[in-house]
Amino acid sequence: MSNTPNDSFVPATKLGRVANFVDSRTGGSAMVKEFGRKIFPDHWSFMFGEVALYSFVILLLSGTFLTFFFDPSMAETHYNGSFVQLKGVEMSVAYQSSLDISFDIRGGLFMRQVHHWAALMFVASVSVHMLRVFFTGAFRRPRELNWVVGGVLLVLAMAAGFTGYSLPDDLLSGNGLRIIDGVIKSIPIVGTYISLFLFGGEFPGTDIIGRLYVLHILLVPAIILLMIVIHLFMVVVHKHTQYPGPGRTNENVVGFPVGPVYAAKAGGFFFIVFGIIAVLAGFFTINPIWNYGPYDPSPVSAGTQPDWYIGWVDGALRLMPGVLGDFSFERNVRFPWGANTFVLNVLLPALGPALLILGLLFTWPWIERWVTKDNREHHVLDRPRNAPFRTAVGVAGFIFYCTLWAAASSDLIATHFRVSLNDVTYWLRALFFLGPILGFIITQRVCLSLQRKDREIVLHGRETGRLVRLPHGEYQEMHEALDPYKRHRLVHFNSYEVIPATPDIDGNLTLKEKLRGRLSRLFFEDRVLPVTPAELEAAHHGHAAEVESAGSHKAIGH
């Protein structure tokens, strides 16, 4: 038997020898080599996902620091720390430890602020990233499941933010928990029991802070981390989407490899994100719990609202009327075991908008695929203007959310602008119904107008602003032909047609197929056709006016 080693390579440096030792036993170099060769396209809108990832890393680092000093106990104590205005005040141990972190732990207040700003940045970047994916159609096959993972991440981000926001046990966070308690109790039959279990008795109970603490530092972050790993794994498996352009197809990716170009840029971008959050934390106070005092169920602070990502639920509760004419939203329903009260003016606004938005969010990839009957793989993104219906739906949903968000500050709007609170509420109620409709109509018209403008630019060229006088005295503006790169972006896109309802193999027209046909007409009845090569050739021979009028659908007037 020979004792000659199989691997004759001996690294020259100590670090190299360690790396070679690990690689020879794990085979990690093949994985690193494969991942390092992965190509990622370069576009500024892809950075929102990176901001979310880096914000989460900062959340983990700052949260670990805070965990060392925070005590999630609701036991009563008397404050004897550095903040003089609250000396001797009775409060929970959780609130006292939050004050100690802010005033007695070196760097504690800065880390609290970093954690809070990073949380806001995380939810905001996930939200904007999801909007970018929706408007560009990046959720289509094969990325439907990754879209669902992103939706779960968004819900978990809001859950992590709310559980952390409630931990200090101050007056503001306690009022937020009181609202949650009311929503839970409005659930028919089982709501009261859920509330008693969650709070450890009648509100505020003695267990809620400890239970939220477990959720905030253990369960929710672990699931978020799992979702991030799944999301990144799917990005690598499916390859990254890219914006349309010459040479960019569903079979390739035009961009830079992970190593060393993308890795270096990503590392630098992480420190930029960290620096921005540090500047915000160092110069802008957020959630000054010492101004609110410990939680007491009796007082309610005026002019307060939760963080923006939870405010839309509060706004829905504010907009909901208690009665509508003679109809009361509080109904007593008799069951065999007795009467139960259905508090619909709390249950409907708390759960209705959330179920509507999240239901559409999670099911939209399958709805669009069903309506279009398009089961192809899509790796090239849409320009939002080239999908007018989808873009209009997204804007309508955004206006719907922002209306509820604004309603959470209805009292501040009334006091700052010195108008009646009732008038603000009435206008916001009207905007709740009319805003999404108007937003949908206007956005769809704008997208179609932009498509017509793109068509005109392709056929006539770009306006140069130069006027030329012809020999017979006529003045004309000179147009410059587009370069191939810009022209490709304006003429190569998916243009879906209306697919009428079709009978099945037995010749029957089902209700489901009739509904799909109506939705297809709603989606694509108004559209502008892309310029065809024949039309482009005709335009170059001086027939641009004729082909422009022939290229638009009959429903698009000129």
Side-chain angles (χ1 to χ4, degrees), residues 159-366:
F162 180 77
T163 53
Y165 174 85
S166 304
L167 289 181
D169 199 26
D170 60 298
L171 182 60
L172 186 61
S173 64
N175 286 330
L177 285 175
R178 186 54 163 160
I179 295 174
I180 296 299
D181 176 60
V183 171
I184 294 174
K185 286 179 177 176
S186 69
I187 301 174
I189 304 174
V190 298
T192 303
Y193 301 101
I194 296 175
S195 174
L196 291 174
F197 168 77
L198 181 62
F199 289 92
E202 188 61 41
F203 182 86
T206 57
D207 298 333
I208 185 62
I209 299 299
R211 288 170 178 170
L212 291 178
Y213 186 65
V214 173
L215 291 173
H216 184 69
I217 71 166
L218 182 62
L219 295 181
V220 176
I223 301 175
I224 289 177
L225 192 59
L226 175 63
M227 292 295 107
I228 290 176
V229 171
I230 294 175
H231 177 74
L232 294 178
F233 173 77
M234 288 186 177
V235 169
V236 173
V237 169
H238 297 150
K239 72 185 180 184
H240 206 292
T241 55
Q242 57 186 342
Y243 283 94
R248 300 178 181 182
T249 68
N250 285 319
E251 284 72 40
N252 68 356
V253 179
V254 178
F256 298 99
V258 171
V261 178
Y262 199 83
K265 293 174 66 175
F269 191 50
F270 168 78
F271 288 104
I272 292 175
V273 174
F274 183 82
I276 292 174
I277 292 176
V279 169
L280 291 173
F283 289 94
F284 300 96
T285 302
I286 190 169
N287 196 25
I289 58 173
W290 52 89
N291 288 339
Y292 308 136
Y295 179 64
D296 183 349
S298 56
V300 177
S301 299
T304 60
Q305 55 269 307
D307 284 336
W308 65 269
Y309 49 87
I310 297 295
W312 61 295
V313 180
D314 187 17
L317 290 169
R318 296 192 188 199
L319 290 184
M320 184 69 182
V323 294
L324 194 60
D326 296 329
F327 178 80
S328 174
F329 288 97
E330 185 175 322
R331 317 296 293 182
N332 291 319
V333 180
R334 291 194 172 276
F335 290 96
W337 55 83
N340 282 96
T341 302
F342 284 55
V343 190
L344 299 180
N345 57 338
V346 175
L347 185 64
L348 290 180
L351 300 182
L355 292 177
L356 175 63
I357 292 177
L358 295 179
L360 283 175
L361 183 145
F362 285 113
T363 59
W364 185 265
W366 288 273

Side-chain angles (χ1 to χ4, degrees), residues 139-174:
F139 54 79
R140 294 171 294 179
R141 183 183 178 188
R143 297 175 181 81
E144 300 98 332
L145 292 181
N146 215 3
W147 168 260
V148 173
V149 169
V152 173
L153 267 173
L154 179 60
V155 174
L156 290 172
M158 291 189 289
F162 180 77
T163 53
Y165 174 85
S166 304
L167 289 181
D169 199 26
D170 60 298
L171 182 60
L172 186 61
S173 64

Side-chain angles (χ1 to χ4, degrees), residues 129-137 139 147 364 390-391 393-394:
H129 182 62
M130 291 290 289
L131 287 174
R132 195 275 302 169
V133 171
F134 180 82
F135 285 124
T136 59
F139 54 79
W147 168 260
W364 185 265
R390 181 204 302 149
T391 303
V393 169

